Amino acid sequence: MNRKTTDTILGNGLRVVVVHAPGAPLAELRLVLPYARTAPHLTPARELLAGCLGTGTTAGDGSRQDIADRAADLGAELSTVVTSESLVMATGVLSAGLPGALDLLADLLLRPAYRERELALVRRRAAAVPRVPGPRQRLRRALLSHAFGSHPLVDPPVGQSGEPGTGDLYDLHARAVVPQGSVLLVMTRDAPDAVTALVQERLADWTGGPSGLVLPPFARRTPLPGRITVPAGPTPAGSAGQALVLTAGPAVPATDPGHAPLHLAQLALGGYASSLLARRVRDRHGLAYAISAQIRGNRAGDWLEIECAGAPGTAARIAEEITDCLRELATDGPTPQELDRARAYATGFTRFALATRTEEASALAGFAAAGLPLDWLATYRRALAEVTHAHVAEAAARFLHPSRTLIATLDDDESNR
């Protein structure tokens, strides 16, 4: 990334990263707050706050409509997204409206208003979504719990006494919506030093933290291998059911030198349409209509996951084919042709991830929040180019062998016999 940047920790603990994008008509803002589900009993309030943050302030009229009108006047779009680890407030605004967008952001952070009518609206929307975990969610929880042990990421939610109200949201806002541990990334055509000073002026009074809402590490660094079967439960009316297979194998984080060889091995295994798993499980045997392999990771840990969905009654056969593919790659490594395809796919994807300013801002904010350098993707592209066939074969032997992998299955056909 050949862009001028400034990286500053303000006095209140907020990390401000400003990326210079000359000629860009829009300024992109991404505020990333630690927001992991570390306390299961807070889950209802956590979900409610995420849905209500940005709907009201005590500044001026402060209603949802007033906030929408202010954003529209600035040519801005405001959204809030919650991930397994973070709450992200994202704004795209005409460059001239950047000061106004920071004013609006300051009002939402420092002067929030959680009104009962907004809480009721979010509750109604949530009530329309089934609260019972679906088969994929139950399978993933069981897989990760068996692989890594009890952890807030996979433990079932623990309900708090009573439904959270406005007081609970103000308390959680004071704890969680804080500058210490948070990152604000601004991508703009304006001079980075001037933008940093502008942020300092608007958000100097924002205080608090750290929130502590950061995922702890898994109890085990590498997954406990083996095989488990998860009961499917009753098949919903009108549903034909399905077979699901999910695996967890060892992996390393993106900062590890071994990540690039493992990434290429993972792609050859199941990362794209003509990968080994796709050719074997889907095309040759017709066992699956969806199959993928990817490296997953967060502050809790890292694992290589294969996910496969097929018709009822096929889970055992799918698991056998996955085991054979893992053993084949671990023993022989990918062919030179498979490696070339995987490298081309990975290199193309790293370029696609930064195709637009909006995507670039989101990616850079994610890098900053994860502790990666802003130019990580460009550096990683070079690392992919330098990986040899021997490196990938070694990574496959180290990480892909089925003896190091946990395989979990869920099959509607088996549960309904």
Side-chain angles (χ1 to χ4, degrees):
M1 185 190 69
N2 297 318
R3 298 190 188 279
K4 180 181 179 182
T5 65
T6 61
D7 194 335
T8 308
I9 305 293
L10 302 185
N12 59 5
L14 176 66
R15 181 183 175 190
V16 180
V17 179
V18 183
V19 181
H20 190 220
L26 294 178
E28 298 285 348
L29 293 85
R30 302 291 185 273
L31 177 63
V32 185
L33 306 163
Y35 205 64
R37 187 168 68 93
T38 57
H41 70 282
L42 290 177
T43 297
R46 179 178 171 272
E47 294 176 352
L48 200 56
L49 184 145
C52 293
L53 182 64
T55 64
T57 82
T58 59
D61 177 286
S63 65
R64 179 192 289 265
Q65 186 60 54
D66 178 59
I67 292 170
D69 290 342
R70 288 176 63 183
D73 289 343
L74 295 167
E77 294 182 1
L78 178 67
S79 64
T80 302
V81 177
V82 177
T83 71
S84 62
E85 294 190 275
S86 305
L87 187 153
V88 183
M89 299 183 72
T91 306
V93 61
L94 293 170
S95 293
L98 179 57
L102 287 171
D103 286 334
L104 177 57
L105 182 63
D107 284 340
L108 295 173
L109 298 174
L110 278 73
R111 293 168 282 278
Y114 295 108
R115 299 184 174 92
E116 186 55 46
R117 63 177 178 271
E118 297 295 344
L119 271 66
L121 177 61
V122 173
R123 290 191 188 105
R124 287 197 298 272
R125 290 173 175 170
V129 179
R131 303 297 294 177
V132 178
R136 278 183 171 82
Q137 186 179 2
R138 289 190 290 107
L139 182 62
R140 178 165 280 112
R141 282 183 178 174
L143 175 90
L144 295 181
S145 179
H146 187 92
F148 297 108
S150 178
H151 190 273
L153 190 65
V154 296
D155 293 343
V158 178
Q160 60 184 29
S161 58
E163 195 172 53
T166 56
D168 297 303
L169 264 62
Y170 283 114
D171 289 344
L172 183 58
H173 185 107
R175 172 186 174 181
V177 185
V178 292
Q180 285 195 49
S182 299
V183 176
L184 175 64
L185 181 133
V186 184
M187 178 176 285
T188 176
R189 69 186 184 188
D190 299 319
D193 290 339
V195 174
T196 301
L198 192 64
V199 173
Q200 168 69 42
E201 178 184 334
R202 298 305 198 274
L203 298 181
D205 292 336
W206 186 31
T207 59
S211 69
L213 299 183
V214 176
L215 287 176
F218 285 133
R220 289 187 287 271
R221 184 174 180 181
T222 57
L224 184 68
R227 178 82 173 265
I228 62 172
T229 300
V230 178
T235 303
S239 172
Q242 59 185 340
L244 299 174
V245 180
L246 201 62
T247 78
V252 290
T255 53
D256 192 289
H259 186 271
L262 174 60
H263 184 193
L264 293 176
Q266 164 255 314
L267 288 173
L269 173 67
Y272 54 95
S274 59
S275 64
L276 178 61
L277 282 171
R279 298 196 313 270
R280 179 84 59 84
V281 179
R282 185 193 62 199
D283 301 341
R284 184 188 303 176
H285 298 295
L287 293 172
Y289 49 81
I291 189 162
S292 65
Q294 57 186 309
I295 300 172
R296 290 186 174 274
N298 49 45
R299 292 183 186 273
D302 302 90
W303 67 99
L304 190 149
E305 179 179 282
I306 300 169
E307 182 176 6
C308 190
T314 62
R317 285 193 61 198
I318 292 171
E320 291 173 4
E321 292 296 336
I322 288 175
T323 299
D324 289 344
C325 288
L326 286 169
R327 183 176 291 108
E328 179 180 321
L329 269 181
T331 303
D332 302 327
T335 66
Q337 293 77 17
E338 288 172 332
L339 176 56
D340 288 343
R341 288 197 295 266
R343 196 194 312 272
Y345 182 90
T347 303
F349 190 82
T350 60
R351 296 185 185 281
F352 178 76
L354 304 181
T356 69
R357 293 280 166 81
T358 298
E359 292 165 336
E360 184 178 5
S362 296
L364 296 182
F367 295 161
L372 295 171
L374 295 185
D375 65 348
W376 176 80
L377 209 54
T379 303
Y380 188 64
R381 208 155 36 228
R382 292 193 294 271
L384 288 171
E386 295 170 358
V387 172
T388 67
H389 184 271
H391 293 149
V392 178
E394 181 181 352
R398 176 184 173 191
F399 294 102
L400 300 188
H401 199 279
S403 65
R404 302 196 63 194
T405 299
L406 173 65
I407 300 178
T409 61
L410 181 154
D411 200 322
D412 282 320
D413 184 70
E414 294 178 359
S415 66
N416 292 321
R417 287 176 179 173

